[in-house]
Amino acid sequence: MWQDYVEATHPSVVAMDTWLSTLVVFERLHQEGETEDLFEAAAAGDLWDSGDETTPIKPIYSNPDVYELRRKALKKALRFYHTEPLVLTTSLVALHRHIKTGAESQQREIDHAVKRYEDGAAVSWRRSP
């Protein structure tokens, strides 16, 4: 089961959502379905790090543990960050998402995902009103 802790107003999240909204309906639904399949496989524990650029999941930060889900959508490299906090024994928590554009910006996105982890852990993953 997934719990959402993504900051919907973050520019990178807005950019991904905007890009998806520009796709024709069939293509958008197809891409959303592919992403949902990736999330379901992660929740079921069916993904593993293959150690190369094709891996669908990669641990990208430790203490706290943050994982990156990867997929290609058309010519875009989509990245989704999540954690598996011990206090939520049956949930994975979505922290952040973006379209990858380069190594330097990638590190800023990872840093933001870690910040989301820290913010969420501090309030036991409850969203503020």
Side-chain angles (χ1 to χ4, degrees):
M1 181 169 92
W2 283 90
Q3 182 169 326
D4 185 18
Y5 205 77
V6 172
E7 182 183 357
T9 59
H10 187 279
S12 299
V13 174
V14 170
M16 181 185 281
D17 293 346
T18 300
W19 172 73
L20 280 167
S21 74
T22 66
L23 301 177
V24 295
V25 174
F26 176 78
E27 185 62 38
R28 180 176 45 80
L29 293 174
H30 173 75
Q31 294 303 332
E32 290 171 345
E34 291 288 321
T35 298
E36 184 63 30
D37 289 349
L38 179 65
F39 277 45
E40 286 177 9
D46 293 339
L47 301 178
W48 60 92
D49 181 5
S50 62
D52 62 18
E53 69 279 349
T54 66
T55 191
I57 189 169
K58 182 177 182 178
I60 50 124
Y61 201 89
S62 62
N63 198 20
D65 290 336
V66 176
Y67 302 89
E68 178 180 72
L69 294 176
R70 304 166 157 191
R71 74 180 244 19
K72 281 284 216 188
L74 303 173
K75 294 185 180 196
K76 305 285 185 189
L78 306 184
R79 299 297 185 257
F80 306 88
Y81 301 103
H82 76 279
T83 189
E84 302 170 8
L86 296 176
V87 297
L88 299 176
T89 58
T90 61
S91 294
L92 287 84
V93 178
L95 299 169
H96 186 53
R97 64 181 179 265
H98 72 99
I99 299 170
K100 182 177 178 179
T101 59
E104 186 176 312
S105 64
Q106 177 84 358
Q107 189 57 52
R108 284 192 305 270
E109 304 293 353
I110 291 169
D111 293 344
H112 182 73
V114 171
K115 173 85 168 86
R116 292 300 295 162
Y117 177 99
E118 292 166 350
D119 293 347
V123 296
S124 300
W125 304 106
R126 292 184 309 274
R127 289 203 178 264
S128 56

